[in-house]
């Protein structure tokens, strides 16, 4: 499973056709100078990844002390989910979502820190693109999470820092039916269109009682009090779309 996911992740990265002629490596040197001199970032694990050369162009001294020279050793039990999160994030970005300026990816998983695995929080942002909009330089800031208690889960969210909107790409591309069943998703989609239970019943050729039962299951699974909140929650998770 891990090999297939890793292969898919690398395929997505290679699907970019970066215009090398538009890359200004003076910009990279400027970024490195700023990050290396920053008192604020001196005590944080910072890297800059070059997606054209497929290498870490900058690794902060603090990162080297905590995590090594660039590559993070992910806990074996978290590796598949980390790869799924990465694939889902790339798919979301590459499918026309190119407003990189306000886009931040936050991931949580376990990584080896100083010889033992600890929960970490990883923040990813695009620093520079080529003239076609392909991702060239990516900034990563890695921190040890304050919560080190089980259960240990891998999470990933994309945050629009301008609007505050939160989106879960993993849910959209891998886990929809682990949260709601196919029938529940059908019903929630119809609810989002303003359909009443009677209309949903006629549309799906099931009884009103069955529709109402599904509605109650949806509210319970999403931990909300009413259909309006269920629709809003499902939209933020990427389970349904307008």
């Amino acid at each position: 499973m891990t090999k297939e996911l890793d292969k898919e992740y690398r395929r997505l990265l290679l699907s970019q056709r970066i215009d090398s002629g538009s890359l200004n490596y003076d910009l990279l040197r400027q970024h490195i100078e700023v990050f290396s001199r920053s008192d604020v970032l001196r005590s944080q694990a910072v890297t800059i990844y070059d997606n054209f050369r497929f290498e870490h162009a900058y690794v902060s001294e603090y990162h080297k002390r905590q995590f090594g020279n660039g590559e993070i050793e992910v806990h074996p039990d978290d590796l598949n989910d980390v790869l799924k999160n990465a694939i889902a994030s790339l798919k979301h970005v590459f499918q026309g979502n190119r407003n990189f300026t306000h886009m931040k990816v936050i991931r949580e998983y376990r990584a080896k820190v100083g010889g033992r695995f600890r929960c970490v929080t990883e923040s990813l942002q695009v620093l520079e693109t080529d003239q076609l909009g392909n991702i060239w330089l990516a900034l990563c800031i890695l921190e040890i999470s304050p919560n080190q208690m089980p259960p240990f889960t891998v999470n990933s969210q994309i945050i629009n820092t301008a609007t505050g909107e939160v989106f879960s790409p993993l849910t959209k591309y891998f886990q929809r039916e682990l949260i709601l069943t196919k029938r529940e998703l059908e019903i929630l989609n119809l609810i989002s269109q303003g359909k009443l239970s009677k209309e949903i019943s006629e549309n799906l050729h099931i009884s009103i009682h069955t529709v109402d039962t599904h509605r109650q299951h949806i509210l319970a699974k999403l931990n909300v009090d009413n259909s309006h909140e269920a629709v809003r929650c499902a939209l933020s998770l990427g389970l349904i779309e307008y």
Side-chain angles (χ1 to χ4, degrees):
M1 181 66 160
T2 302
K3 288 183 178 180
E4 287 78 5
L5 290 170
D6 186 61
K7 184 177 180 180
E8 173 66 5
Y9 175 66
R10 295 182 184 279
R11 185 193 67 77
L12 284 168
L13 281 179
L14 290 169
S15 69
Q16 287 197 119
R17 294 293 182 263
I18 295 178
D19 178 15
S20 60
S22 68
L23 305 182
N24 182 356
Y25 274 88
D26 284 337
L27 283 175
L28 172 58
R29 286 187 283 272
Q30 291 171 20
H31 284 304
I32 292 174
E33 185 175 354
V34 169
F35 291 131
S36 60
R37 291 186 176 184
S38 170
D39 290 332
V40 174
L41 295 177
R42 193 166 292 163
S43 60
Q44 290 186 307
V46 180
T47 61
I48 299 175
Y49 192 78
D50 184 335
N51 282 297
F52 176 65
R53 294 178 174 173
F54 296 104
E55 64 182 18
H56 285 91
Y58 171 72
V59 181
S60 70
E61 292 301 318
Y62 185 81
H63 189 289
K64 292 176 184 176
R65 292 196 300 271
Q66 292 281 52
F67 302 100
N69 289 327
E71 295 299 327
I72 307 299
E73 185 176 348
V74 179
H75 193 291
D77 292 345
D78 292 354
L79 187 54
N80 279 350
D81 284 338
V82 168
L83 284 170
K84 285 181 180 180
N85 275 273
I87 290 168
S89 296
L90 286 179
K91 284 184 176 181
H92 177 69
V93 169
F94 290 168
Q95 290 185 0
N97 300 284
R98 291 183 175 271
N99 184 18
F100 296 138
T101 306
H102 304 299
M103 190 178 293
K104 179 185 289 186
V105 178
I106 305 293
R107 299 195 297 196
E108 295 177 316
Y109 55 90
R110 287 173 292 174
K112 184 163 283 189
V113 185
R116 64 191 181 99
F117 287 106
R118 303 184 68 183
C119 296
V120 298
T121 301
E122 183 181 56
S123 174
L124 295 161
Q125 287 181 277
V126 175
L127 272 183
E128 301 288 346
T129 65
D130 69 2
Q131 65 179 3
L132 301 175
N134 295 302
I135 300 172
W136 171 33
L137 300 178
L139 171 68
C140 173
I141 299 177
L142 201 60
E143 300 175 283
I144 299 173
S145 302
N147 182 13
Q148 297 292 324
M149 300 296 291
F152 301 114
T153 57
V154 176
N155 295 302
S156 177
Q157 294 179 320
I158 294 178
I159 300 172
N160 185 319
T161 57
T163 65
E165 180 185 3
V166 178
F167 172 72
S168 174
L170 182 64
T171 300
K172 179 175 181 179
Y173 291 104
F174 285 100
Q175 294 183 331
R176 284 188 174 200
E177 291 189 22
L178 294 183
I179 297 177
L180 299 178
T181 66
K182 182 178 180 180
R183 178 63 86 187
E184 288 165 350
L185 287 170
E186 287 178 328
I187 289 173
L188 190 54
N189 264 303
L190 292 170
I191 292 172
S192 72
Q193 297 169 23
K195 303 291 186 183
L196 301 175
S197 291
K198 184 176 185 299
E199 295 173 294
I200 295 172
S201 168
E202 294 170 351
N203 190 298
L204 298 180
H205 306 291
I206 56 178
S207 71
I208 293 179
H209 173 72
T210 300
V211 173
D212 289 336
T213 299
H214 281 306
R215 292 179 76 124
Q216 291 303 312
H217 289 165
I218 291 168
L219 298 184
K221 287 182 177 181
L222 297 180
N223 193 28
V224 294
D225 296 324
N226 54 59
S227 295
H228 177 73
E229 290 181 6
V231 169
R232 186 169 60 182
C233 178
L235 285 169
S236 70
L237 289 174
L239 296 175
I240 61 174
E241 299 176 358
Y242 275 128

